[in-house]
Amino acid sequence: MATTWLRASMSMTPTSARGMATLKDIETRLKSVKNIKKITSSMKMVSAAKFTRAEKALKPARVYGTGAAALYDKNEFVAGEDKLYVAISSDRGLCGGIHSGLGRKFKALHLESPIKKSIIVGDKAKLILLKTMGDTYLSTFNNVGKKASSFTDALEIAEEILSHEFDSADIAYNSFINVVSYKPIIKPIPSAANIESNDAVYAYDEVDSEVVRCYQEFSLANIIHHALKEQESSEQSARMNAMENATRNAGEMIDKLQLQYNRTRQAVITRELIEIISGANALE
């Protein structure tokens, strides 16, 4: 009888050990997911605060940007064949598909008509487009999105754009619509020579070439500043929504793991009770 009980105990031991190992694995995973939920919840709150500031800064920037683009929107300028493309993104991720959407927009343009000149703002767009059109990069800007952009940043980008020869420049960025939506758009900007060739510029008075160039530099800086603020608002809202979804998914996973843990623990306890009862019966 004793030998029978010993064999029964030895045969039951690995099963119990496997059960305990499974419990330990579930417990470790449960702890990990709980930590992830804390992180994503904190990131959501931080993104919400940053989004509020970005949306507030967008309102005056939109006024100046729309006003600066009024001349280009209300008058027809010849696009020309020598086009320069500018993509505005940032260096930061964890914000859904906001950067990949802009990348797809650029790739579609590249398929329609091969892009020969481009300026990339932000490492995300740079990495997304590197394989497809990396040889077209004239210059790139990094350290974008780590802090709120300023008019000085926009002016540096505008000066870099104007340092290259082109007939027209297409500026691509994500336009903020509301807290849950945005869309990638392209803003065409003519060159100074293109502006000078338009008769509408001289409708009221003779305009000196230097005045046109100064106006273009200032208006382009305003448009870039507006685009940066649109991109920031879109990015922060996208990150806030992404972190909210991640927090909700983590909560659902925690509930499932907790249920699995309880069921496994109950199964282990039941198995141990069966072993004890079997051993007691074997001794009788």
Side-chain angles (χ1 to χ4, degrees):
M1 287 292 182
T3 306
T4 306
W5 174 81
L6 182 60
R7 287 176 180 173
S9 300
M10 290 177 66
S11 63
M12 290 290 184
T13 302
T15 306
S16 179
R18 283 197 299 271
M20 292 303 292
T22 304
L23 271 179
K24 187 65 177 177
D25 292 341
I26 296 172
E27 189 176 7
T28 302
R29 191 178 177 192
L30 189 59
K31 189 181 295 184
S32 176
V33 176
K34 285 181 178 179
N35 290 336
I36 290 172
K37 184 181 178 182
K38 289 179 182 178
I39 294 169
T40 55
S41 180
S42 300
M43 289 185 68
K44 176 193 168 185
M45 290 188 289
V46 172
S47 297
K50 289 184 177 180
F51 167 70
T52 302
R53 291 196 296 268
E55 188 181 25
K56 186 177 179 180
L58 173 61
K59 293 179 180 178
R62 182 174 282 172
V63 173
Y64 283 100
T66 305
L71 175 67
Y72 309 139
D73 295 338
K74 294 180 180 180
N75 295 280
E76 292 184 2
F77 293 92
V78 180
E81 295 182 358
D82 188 13
K83 297 188 75 173
L84 172 64
Y85 291 85
V86 182
I88 296 180
S89 66
S90 77
D91 293 1
R92 302 187 65 202
L94 296 176
C95 49
I98 187 169
H99 300 307
S100 58
L102 189 66
R104 284 194 298 271
K105 184 88 171 176
F106 247 67
K107 289 176 182 178
L109 289 172
H110 188 57
L111 288 174
E112 290 177 8
S113 178
I115 295 173
K116 298 178 180 178
K117 296 179 180 179
S118 64
I119 293 175
I120 310 298
V121 180
D123 283 343
K124 288 297 178 181
K126 176 184 174 183
L127 294 173
I128 291 170
L129 299 170
L130 184 62
K131 186 177 180 180
T132 307
M133 43 184 287
D135 57 341
T136 69
Y137 292 176
L138 297 178
S139 59
T140 59
F141 291 83
N142 56 8
N143 293 324
V144 183
K146 295 181 179 178
K147 61 179 181 179
S149 61
S150 63
F151 189 78
T152 303
D153 300 327
L155 190 59
E156 289 179 4
I157 298 170
E159 288 175 348
E160 178 61 31
I161 293 171
L162 295 175
S163 67
H164 300 283
E165 294 292 332
F166 60 91
D167 293 329
S168 63
D170 283 352
I171 302 172
Y173 59 92
N174 286 291
S175 177
F176 175 75
I177 299 174
N178 53 49
V179 71
V180 293
S181 62
Y182 54 86
K183 65 176 181 179
I185 65 169
I186 294 178
K187 181 74 70 175
I189 306 294
S191 64
N194 206 338
I195 297 173
E196 289 179 26
S197 65
N198 193 304
D199 295 335
V201 178
Y202 305 97
Y204 300 100
D205 196 3
E206 290 294 326
V207 180
D208 186 72
S209 297
E210 185 64 26
V211 174
V212 173
R213 293 183 184 278
C214 288
Y215 171 78
Q216 190 203 25
E217 182 177 346
F218 180 69
S219 63
L220 181 58
N222 274 301
I223 292 169
I224 295 292
H225 185 239
H226 173 212
L228 288 169
K229 292 302 180 183
E230 291 274 6
Q231 175 68 32
E232 286 175 10
S233 297
S234 301
E235 182 180 327
Q236 293 301 339
S237 66
R239 183 174 291 110
M240 183 174 63
N241 291 325
M243 292 302 103
E244 183 179 1
N245 292 335
T247 303
R248 184 171 60 251
N249 292 338
E252 292 175 359
M253 188 175 291
I254 288 169
D255 292 339
K256 290 179 181 178
L257 287 171
Q258 190 67 57
L259 182 61
Q260 184 183 0
Y261 178 83
N262 292 339
R263 285 177 176 175
T264 306
R265 185 169 178 272
Q266 186 177 8
V268 170
I269 293 171
T270 303
R271 190 161 52 243
E272 288 177 351
L273 287 173
I274 291 172
E275 291 176 5
I276 293 170
I277 294 169
S278 299
N281 291 335
L283 290 173
E284 290 180 0

PDB file of all heavy atoms in Angstrom, residues 201-223:
ATOM      1  N   VAL A 201       0.064  90.780 -58.762  1.00  0.00           N
ATOM      2  CA  VAL A 201       0.926  91.401 -57.750  1.00  0.00           C
ATOM      3  C   VAL A 201       1.077  92.897 -58.016  1.00  0.00           C
ATOM      4  O   VAL A 201       1.246  93.701 -57.094  1.00  0.00           O
ATOM      5  CB  VAL A 201       2.309  90.712 -57.729  1.00  0.00           C
ATOM      6  CG1 VAL A 201       3.237  91.363 -56.712  1.00  0.00           C
ATOM      7  CG2 VAL A 201       2.146  89.235 -57.411  1.00  0.00           C
ATOM      8  N   TYR A 202       0.969  93.281 -59.274  1.00  0.00           N
ATOM      9  CA  TYR A 202       1.187  94.680 -59.656  1.00  0.00           C
ATOM     10  C   TYR A 202      -0.122  95.395 -59.959  1.00  0.00           C
ATOM     11  O   TYR A 202      -0.161  96.370 -60.713  1.00  0.00           O
ATOM     12  CB  TYR A 202       2.091  94.736 -60.888  1.00  0.00           C
ATOM     13  CG  TYR A 202       3.394  93.995 -60.708  1.00  0.00           C
ATOM     14  CD1 TYR A 202       3.540  92.690 -61.169  1.00  0.00           C
ATOM     15  CD2 TYR A 202       4.472  94.586 -60.056  1.00  0.00           C
ATOM     16  CE1 TYR A 202       4.727  91.991 -60.995  1.00  0.00           C
ATOM     17  CE2 TYR A 202       5.653  93.898 -59.876  1.00  0.00           C
ATOM     18  CZ  TYR A 202       5.777  92.599 -60.347  1.00  0.00           C
ATOM     19  OH  TYR A 202       6.951  91.917 -60.169  1.00  0.00           O
ATOM     20  N   ALA A 203      -1.224  94.894 -59.387  1.00  0.00           N
ATOM     21  CA  ALA A 203      -2.537  95.469 -59.691  1.00  0.00           C
ATOM     22  C   ALA A 203      -2.682  96.894 -59.163  1.00  0.00           C
ATOM     23  O   ALA A 203      -3.380  97.714 -59.756  1.00  0.00           O
ATOM     24  CB  ALA A 203      -3.639  94.582 -59.124  1.00  0.00           C
ATOM     25  N   TYR A 204      -2.049  97.209 -58.035  1.00  0.00           N
ATOM     26  CA  TYR A 204      -2.234  98.513 -57.416  1.00  0.00           C
ATOM     27  C   TYR A 204      -0.993  99.409 -57.492  1.00  0.00           C
ATOM     28  O   TYR A 204      -1.091 100.621 -57.519  1.00  0.00           O
ATOM     29  CB  TYR A 204      -2.641  98.338 -55.943  1.00  0.00           C
ATOM     30  CG  TYR A 204      -3.922  97.569 -55.784  1.00  0.00           C
ATOM     31  CD1 TYR A 204      -3.905  96.218 -55.447  1.00  0.00           C
ATOM     32  CD2 TYR A 204      -5.144  98.184 -55.985  1.00  0.00           C
ATOM     33  CE1 TYR A 204      -5.093  95.506 -55.308  1.00  0.00           C
ATOM     34  CE2 TYR A 204      -6.340  97.474 -55.850  1.00  0.00           C
ATOM     35  CZ  TYR A 204      -6.303  96.137 -55.512  1.00  0.00           C
ATOM     36  OH  TYR A 204      -7.461  95.431 -55.379  1.00  0.00           O
ATOM     37  N   ASP A 205       0.168  98.821 -57.541  1.00  0.00           N
ATOM     38  CA  ASP A 205       1.375  99.644 -57.539  1.00  0.00           C
ATOM     39  C   ASP A 205       2.546  98.791 -58.012  1.00  0.00           C
ATOM     40  O   ASP A 205       2.481  97.561 -58.015  1.00  0.00           O
ATOM     41  CB  ASP A 205       1.645 100.181 -56.125  1.00  0.00           C
ATOM     42  CG  ASP A 205       2.632 101.342 -56.136  1.00  0.00           C
ATOM     43  OD1 ASP A 205       3.052 101.741 -57.244  1.00  0.00           O
ATOM     44  OD2 ASP A 205       2.971 101.815 -55.041  1.00  0.00           O
ATOM     45  N   GLU A 206       3.587  99.464 -58.408  1.00  0.00           N
ATOM     46  CA  GLU A 206       4.803  98.751 -58.786  1.00  0.00           C
ATOM     47  C   GLU A 206       5.453  98.165 -57.534  1.00  0.00           C
ATOM     48  O   GLU A 206       5.582  98.842 -56.510  1.00  0.00           O
ATOM     49  CB  GLU A 206       5.776  99.705 -59.483  1.00  0.00           C
ATOM     50  CG  GLU A 206       5.323 100.137 -60.863  1.00  0.00           C
ATOM     51  CD  GLU A 206       5.295  98.983 -61.841  1.00  0.00           C
ATOM     52  OE1 GLU A 206       6.143  98.089 -61.731  1.00  0.00           O
ATOM     53  OE2 GLU A 206       4.395  98.960 -62.711  1.00  0.00           O
ATOM     54  N   VAL A 207       5.837  96.926 -57.626  1.00  0.00           N
ATOM     55  CA  VAL A 207       6.439  96.236 -56.479  1.00  0.00           C
ATOM     56  C   VAL A 207       7.862  95.848 -56.833  1.00  0.00           C
ATOM     57  O   VAL A 207       8.106  95.225 -57.872  1.00  0.00           O
ATOM     58  CB  VAL A 207       5.623  94.981 -56.098  1.00  0.00           C
ATOM     59  CG1 VAL A 207       6.267  94.278 -54.908  1.00  0.00           C
ATOM     60  CG2 VAL A 207       4.188  95.350 -55.781  1.00  0.00           C
ATOM     61  N   ASP A 208       8.784  96.217 -55.976  1.00  0.00           N
ATOM     62  CA  ASP A 208      10.194  95.905 -56.199  1.00  0.00           C
ATOM     63  C   ASP A 208      10.446  94.423 -55.933  1.00  0.00           C
ATOM     64  O   ASP A 208       9.782  93.792 -55.099  1.00  0.00           O
ATOM     65  CB  ASP A 208      11.053  96.764 -55.270  1.00  0.00           C
ATOM     66  CG  ASP A 208      12.534  96.581 -55.559  1.00  0.00           C
ATOM     67  OD1 ASP A 208      12.998  97.072 -56.605  1.00  0.00           O
ATOM     68  OD2 ASP A 208      13.199  95.921 -54.746  1.00  0.00           O
ATOM     69  N   SER A 209      11.415  93.856 -56.647  1.00  0.00           N
ATOM     70  CA  SER A 209      11.734  92.427 -56.488  1.00  0.00           C
ATOM     71  C   SER A 209      12.161  92.094 -55.066  1.00  0.00           C
ATOM     72  O   SER A 209      11.823  91.037 -54.534  1.00  0.00           O
ATOM     73  CB  SER A 209      12.847  92.035 -57.464  1.00  0.00           C
ATOM     74  OG  SER A 209      12.433  92.197 -58.791  1.00  0.00           O
ATOM     75  N   GLU A 210      12.896  93.013 -54.448  1.00  0.00           N
ATOM     76  CA  GLU A 210      13.353  92.776 -53.077  1.00  0.00           C
ATOM     77  C   GLU A 210      12.171  92.709 -52.108  1.00  0.00           C
ATOM     78  O   GLU A 210      12.161  91.917 -51.159  1.00  0.00           O
ATOM     79  CB  GLU A 210      14.316  93.888 -52.656  1.00  0.00           C
ATOM     80  CG  GLU A 210      14.953  93.679 -51.282  1.00  0.00           C
ATOM     81  CD  GLU A 210      15.834  92.439 -51.226  1.00  0.00           C
ATOM     82  OE1 GLU A 210      16.365  92.016 -52.277  1.00  0.00           O
ATOM     83  OE2 GLU A 210      15.985  91.890 -50.114  1.00  0.00           O
ATOM     84  N   VAL A 211      11.165  93.546 -52.380  1.00  0.00           N
ATOM     85  CA  VAL A 211       9.962  93.533 -51.538  1.00  0.00           C
ATOM     86  C   VAL A 211       9.236  92.191 -51.670  1.00  0.00           C
ATOM     87  O   VAL A 211       8.775  91.607 -50.682  1.00  0.00           O
ATOM     88  CB  VAL A 211       9.014  94.688 -51.933  1.00  0.00           C
ATOM     89  CG1 VAL A 211       7.698  94.581 -51.163  1.00  0.00           C
ATOM     90  CG2 VAL A 211       9.674  96.034 -51.659  1.00  0.00           C
ATOM     91  N   VAL A 212       9.154  91.677 -52.906  1.00  0.00           N
ATOM     92  CA  VAL A 212       8.506  90.389 -53.143  1.00  0.00           C
ATOM     93  C   VAL A 212       9.230  89.271 -52.409  1.00  0.00           C
ATOM     94  O   VAL A 212       8.617  88.409 -51.780  1.00  0.00           O
ATOM     95  CB  VAL A 212       8.437  90.081 -54.651  1.00  0.00           C
ATOM     96  CG1 VAL A 212       7.928  88.660 -54.889  1.00  0.00           C
ATOM     97  CG2 VAL A 212       7.535  91.076 -55.363  1.00  0.00           C
ATOM     98  N   ARG A 213      10.549  89.308 -52.452  1.00  0.00           N
ATOM     99  CA  ARG A 213      11.337  88.259 -51.805  1.00  0.00           C
ATOM    100  C   ARG A 213      11.207  88.332 -50.284  1.00  0.00           C
ATOM    101  O   ARG A 213      11.132  87.300 -49.604  1.00  0.00           O
ATOM    102  CB  ARG A 213      12.801  88.359 -52.233  1.00  0.00           C
ATOM    103  CG  ARG A 213      13.004  88.044 -53.706  1.00  0.00           C
ATOM    104  CD  ARG A 213      14.469  88.080 -54.122  1.00  0.00           C
ATOM    105  NE  ARG A 213      14.590  87.858 -55.562  1.00  0.00           N
ATOM    106  CZ  ARG A 213      14.576  86.660 -56.141  1.00  0.00           C
ATOM    107  NH1 ARG A 213      14.452  85.581 -55.396  1.00  0.00           N
ATOM    108  NH2 ARG A 213      14.675  86.551 -57.450  1.00  0.00           N
ATOM    109  N   CYS A 214      11.211  89.547 -49.756  1.00  0.00           N
ATOM    110  CA  CYS A 214      11.030  89.704 -48.300  1.00  0.00           C
ATOM    111  C   CYS A 214       9.635  89.240 -47.874  1.00  0.00           C
ATOM    112  O   CYS A 214       9.469  88.588 -46.845  1.00  0.00           O
ATOM    113  CB  CYS A 214      11.239  91.162 -47.903  1.00  0.00           C
ATOM    114  SG  CYS A 214      12.958  91.707 -47.986  1.00  0.00           S
ATOM    115  N   TYR A 215       8.650  89.582 -48.690  1.00  0.00           N
ATOM    116  CA  TYR A 215       7.287  89.143 -48.389  1.00  0.00           C
ATOM    117  C   TYR A 215       7.188  87.624 -48.431  1.00  0.00           C
ATOM    118  O   TYR A 215       6.554  87.014 -47.563  1.00  0.00           O
ATOM    119  CB  TYR A 215       6.298  89.754 -49.393  1.00  0.00           C
ATOM    120  CG  TYR A 215       4.910  89.161 -49.269  1.00  0.00           C
ATOM    121  CD1 TYR A 215       4.052  89.566 -48.256  1.00  0.00           C
ATOM    122  CD2 TYR A 215       4.486  88.164 -50.154  1.00  0.00           C
ATOM    123  CE1 TYR A 215       2.790  88.996 -48.125  1.00  0.00           C
ATOM    124  CE2 TYR A 215       3.230  87.595 -50.031  1.00  0.00           C
ATOM    125  CZ  TYR A 215       2.379  88.012 -49.014  1.00  0.00           C
ATOM    126  OH  TYR A 215       1.137  87.433 -48.886  1.00  0.00           O
ATOM    127  N   GLN A 216       7.805  87.027 -49.449  1.00  0.00           N
ATOM    128  CA  GLN A 216       7.725  85.571 -49.559  1.00  0.00           C
ATOM    129  C   GLN A 216       8.388  84.885 -48.370  1.00  0.00           C
ATOM    130  O   GLN A 216       7.872  83.900 -47.841  1.00  0.00           O
ATOM    131  CB  GLN A 216       8.361  85.089 -50.858  1.00  0.00           C
ATOM    132  CG  GLN A 216       8.070  83.614 -51.121  1.00  0.00           C
ATOM    133  CD  GLN A 216       9.069  82.966 -52.039  1.00  0.00           C
ATOM    134  OE1 GLN A 216      10.209  83.412 -52.139  1.00  0.00           O
ATOM    135  NE2 GLN A 216       8.658  81.901 -52.716  1.00  0.00           N
ATOM    136  N   GLU A 217       9.526  85.420 -47.947  1.00  0.00           N
ATOM    137  CA  GLU A 217      10.225  84.813 -46.803  1.00  0.00           C
ATOM    138  C   GLU A 217       9.378  84.891 -45.535  1.00  0.00           C
ATOM    139  O   GLU A 217       9.241  83.910 -44.797  1.00  0.00           O
ATOM    140  CB  GLU A 217      11.566  85.505 -46.580  1.00  0.00           C
ATOM    141  CG  GLU A 217      12.381  84.897 -45.450  1.00  0.00           C
ATOM    142  CD  GLU A 217      13.740  85.540 -45.293  1.00  0.00           C
ATOM    143  OE1 GLU A 217      14.169  86.266 -46.209  1.00  0.00           O
ATOM    144  OE2 GLU A 217      14.379  85.327 -44.245  1.00  0.00           O
ATOM    145  N   PHE A 218       8.761  86.056 -45.305  1.00  0.00           N
ATOM    146  CA  PHE A 218       7.949  86.231 -44.099  1.00  0.00           C
ATOM    147  C   PHE A 218       6.672  85.391 -44.178  1.00  0.00           C
ATOM    148  O   PHE A 218       6.281  84.738 -43.199  1.00  0.00           O
ATOM    149  CB  PHE A 218       7.600  87.708 -43.913  1.00  0.00           C
ATOM    150  CG  PHE A 218       6.759  87.983 -42.702  1.00  0.00           C
ATOM    151  CD1 PHE A 218       7.279  87.844 -41.425  1.00  0.00           C
ATOM    152  CD2 PHE A 218       5.429  88.367 -42.833  1.00  0.00           C
ATOM    153  CE1 PHE A 218       6.505  88.077 -40.296  1.00  0.00           C
ATOM    154  CE2 PHE A 218       4.647  88.612 -41.716  1.00  0.00           C
ATOM    155  CZ  PHE A 218       5.177  88.470 -40.454  1.00  0.00           C
ATOM    156  N   SER A 219       6.013  85.413 -45.337  1.00  0.00           N
ATOM    157  CA  SER A 219       4.773  84.641 -45.485  1.00  0.00           C
ATOM    158  C   SER A 219       5.045  83.137 -45.411  1.00  0.00           C
ATOM    159  O   SER A 219       4.263  82.384 -44.824  1.00  0.00           O
ATOM    160  CB  SER A 219       4.079  84.986 -46.801  1.00  0.00           C
ATOM    161  OG  SER A 219       4.888  84.643 -47.914  1.00  0.00           O
ATOM    162  N   LEU A 220       6.169  82.706 -46.006  1.00  0.00           N
ATOM    163  CA  LEU A 220       6.514  81.283 -45.946  1.00  0.00           C
ATOM    164  C   LEU A 220       6.790  80.852 -44.513  1.00  0.00           C
ATOM    165  O   LEU A 220       6.382  79.760 -44.094  1.00  0.00           O
ATOM    166  CB  LEU A 220       7.735  81.001 -46.833  1.00  0.00           C
ATOM    167  CG  LEU A 220       8.208  79.547 -46.886  1.00  0.00           C
ATOM    168  CD1 LEU A 220       7.102  78.626 -47.377  1.00  0.00           C
ATOM    169  CD2 LEU A 220       9.449  79.418 -47.772  1.00  0.00           C
ATOM    170  N   ALA A 221       7.468  81.707 -43.732  1.00  0.00           N
ATOM    171  CA  ALA A 221       7.725  81.399 -42.326  1.00  0.00           C
ATOM    172  C   ALA A 221       6.415  81.270 -41.555  1.00  0.00           C
ATOM    173  O   ALA A 221       6.256  80.379 -40.705  1.00  0.00           O
ATOM    174  CB  ALA A 221       8.606  82.475 -41.698  1.00  0.00           C
ATOM    175  N   ASN A 222       5.449  82.131 -41.861  1.00  0.00           N
ATOM    176  CA  ASN A 222       4.135  82.048 -41.212  1.00  0.00           C
ATOM    177  C   ASN A 222       3.413  80.758 -41.586  1.00  0.00           C
ATOM    178  O   ASN A 222       2.781  80.117 -40.734  1.00  0.00           O
ATOM    179  CB  ASN A 222       3.274  83.249 -41.612  1.00  0.00           C
ATOM    180  CG  ASN A 222       3.521  84.467 -40.725  1.00  0.00           C
ATOM    181  OD1 ASN A 222       3.347  84.405 -39.514  1.00  0.00           O
ATOM    182  ND2 ASN A 222       3.959  85.553 -41.321  1.00  0.00           N
ATOM    183  N   ILE A 223       3.499  80.379 -42.862  1.00  0.00           N
ATOM    184  CA  ILE A 223       2.848  79.148 -43.318  1.00  0.00           C
ATOM    185  C   ILE A 223       3.502  77.925 -42.681  1.00  0.00           C
ATOM    186  O   ILE A 223       2.817  76.989 -42.256  1.00  0.00           O
ATOM    187  CB  ILE A 223       2.900  79.074 -44.854  1.00  0.00           C
ATOM    188  CG1 ILE A 223       2.003  80.159 -45.458  1.00  0.00           C
ATOM    189  CG2 ILE A 223       2.461  77.696 -45.352  1.00  0.00           C
ATOM    190  CD1 ILE A 223       2.173  80.348 -46.948  1.00  0.00           C
TER     191      ILE A 223
END
